[in-house]
Amino acid sequence: MRRGAVSGVVVAGLSGLLAFGAQAPAGAWAGPEADVSYHGRVALADAQLRVWLVPENEGPSEVPNATVRVRLSVDLADRQELAAGCARAGLREVVCETGPMPLHGRGRHIGMVLGLRERAPEVVVRVDTWWNGGATDRNLANNEHVVLALDTGDAYAF
């Protein structure tokens, strides 16, 4: 990962613990409430996975920034040219900042072409929130997606 390549992805404090699945202590501040969702599509062809997604917020509060995570069922190639605001977070995952999401508004459109280590007949793509800017999101059903992309070049929507 390049130093300084991503702003807004560093997590610290209580919200950072929550991003990794830890439970908040009883009575802990959970921040404003928001409903973050992701919509987009993925396409797999010749060891390249194209990912396009748009983060949205239905409120009731704005979200100054959040981080979406894209995890794959196969390893990424060693070298990746990632969009600004995105960083590799492991052998099979990439994280990207969403930018500000106003109430009933969208964050920045995120597009990536991810190279795979080897050609695969199919890839399972998981999209979820890695960090939510400290907001509470009671509806996780619309920001956790699992998509099966076949090596056909066809786009699969979520």
Side-chain angles (χ1 to χ4, degrees), residues 20-66:
F20 290 101
Q23 296 297 318
W29 178 75
E33 186 172 344
D35 184 12
V36 175
S37 64
Y38 304 105
H39 306 282
R41 59 185 180 267
V42 297
L44 175 64
D46 301 325
Q48 285 192 328
L49 181 72
R50 296 183 183 279
V51 179
W52 180 82
L53 64 91
V54 178
E56 296 184 25
N57 174 27
E58 288 303 317
S61 299
E62 65 181 29
V63 176
N65 198 5

Side-chain angles (χ1 to χ4, degrees), residues 40-129:
R41 59 185 180 267
V42 297
L44 175 64
D46 301 325
Q48 285 192 328
L49 181 72
R50 296 183 183 279
V51 179
W52 180 82
L53 64 91
V54 178
E56 296 184 25
N57 174 27
E58 288 303 317
S61 299
E62 65 181 29
V63 176
N65 198 5
T67 306
V68 61
R69 174 173 56 178
V70 177
R71 294 180 289 163
L72 310 180
S73 62
V74 299
D75 290 349
L76 291 163
D78 291 336
R79 299 186 68 103
Q80 300 289 326
E81 291 293 326
L82 298 174
C86 296
R88 190 167 176 169
L91 292 174
R92 297 180 172 188
E93 64 187 281
V94 172
V95 294
C96 297
E97 64 180 343
T98 63
M101 288 184 284
L103 175 61
H104 302 294
R106 295 179 173 181
R108 70 182 186 97
H109 294 212
I110 299 168
M112 298 181 280
V113 179
L114 301 173
L116 306 181
R117 183 176 302 269
E118 299 175 353
R119 188 169 182 170
E122 64 185 34
V123 174
V124 176
V125 181
R126 298 178 189 282
V127 176
D128 63 2
T129 300

